[in-house]
Amino acid sequence: MRSLLIAALILSASPTSTPAQQVDAYIGLGTARASSTGQKIDTFRDGTLFATPAMGGVFEDFGASVFINRQIGFGWNATWRAAHDYAGLSYRPAFDNFDTIFQPDKLRTKHTATEFRAGIGLASVHFDFNDQQSCDQVPGCPSSHHFLEHLGAATRLYVTGHLFLRPAVDVQHVNNFFLFGSNWVPRYSVSIGYSFGRE
């Protein structure tokens, strides 16, 4: 619900003096990578040690962009993974980014458009657990939230005048991402999307 509300706000947000020239929306799959801390945790206090995992696997990806002219725009992107194991508990990581977008005219053709993004956002990790004692053993349980800085690049490859494929590479610096062994989280994704108002 929160993601849909944010998407609606971005799609409707544009300066009153300059109407939006183009609105893009996309959905796809990708991955986000972060190393393990290398720790082992006695999560259930029974002497069984569980290793902390590296982050990886398949993430869902969704985003929207509003361009106020041919070069400048604003965007939002959400990436999340379904529940996965972290030291014996189920956890769900998610990333939300809010960006300024630059789309150089020199890298824009009839069939392609390359964009560069820079912005800020939030990384969240939520745990599912059956008892508070097991949650207490795992750092960040039941949930943790971390400010992040984001840089990204993507190219929209137009299959038709409005339908596109969007390969993207993103790098996030997540502040104090203590659940994993690195504050740097690269992401790779491929999405399918549609451009509204494209000339």
Side-chain angles (χ1 to χ4, degrees), residues 134-180:
S134 60
C135 182
D136 290 343
Q137 303 307 305
V138 177
C141 187
S143 64
S144 64
H145 306 280
H146 310 267
F147 178 79
L148 65 83
E149 301 92 22
H150 170 247
L151 294 173
T155 298
R156 296 191 305 281
L157 306 171
Y158 284 91
V159 180
T160 68
H162 299 276
L163 186 69
F164 61 83
L165 294 176
R166 183 184 182 273
V169 176
D170 299 271
V171 178
Q172 299 167 136
H173 178 260
V174 182
N175 290 269
N176 192 29
F177 207 30
F178 56 82
L179 287 159
F180 296 93

Side-chain angles (χ1 to χ4, degrees), residues 105-149:
D105 270 338
K106 290 183 178 181
L107 299 179
R108 182 184 174 109
T109 70
K110 181 179 179 181
H111 301 290
T112 65
T114 298
E115 62 184 50
F116 300 97
R117 293 175 169 242
I120 59 174
L122 187 69
S124 302
V125 179
H126 301 282
F127 287 89
D128 299 318
F129 57 94
N130 293 323
D131 65 272
Q132 187 63 45
Q133 284 190 343
S134 60
C135 182
D136 290 343
Q137 303 307 305
V138 177
C141 187
S143 64
S144 64
H145 306 280
H146 310 267
F147 178 79
L148 65 83
E149 301 92 22

Side-chain angles (χ1 to χ4, degrees), residues 5 12 20 23 25 49 52 54 58 95 102 118 121 128 142 153 156 164 167 172 174 178 184 186:
L5 178 60
S12 64
V23 176
L49 297 178
T52 57
V58 178
F95 303 93
F102 177 61
D128 299 318
R156 296 191 305 281
F164 61 83
Q172 299 167 136
V174 182
F178 56 82
W184 292 96

Side-chain angles (χ1 to χ4, degrees), residues 1-13 62 64 76 98:
M1 184 66 182
R2 177 187 59 149
S3 296
L4 292 175
L5 178 60
I6 293 171
L9 289 174
I10 287 196
L11 290 172
S12 64
F62 177 75
W76 162 76
F98 301 89

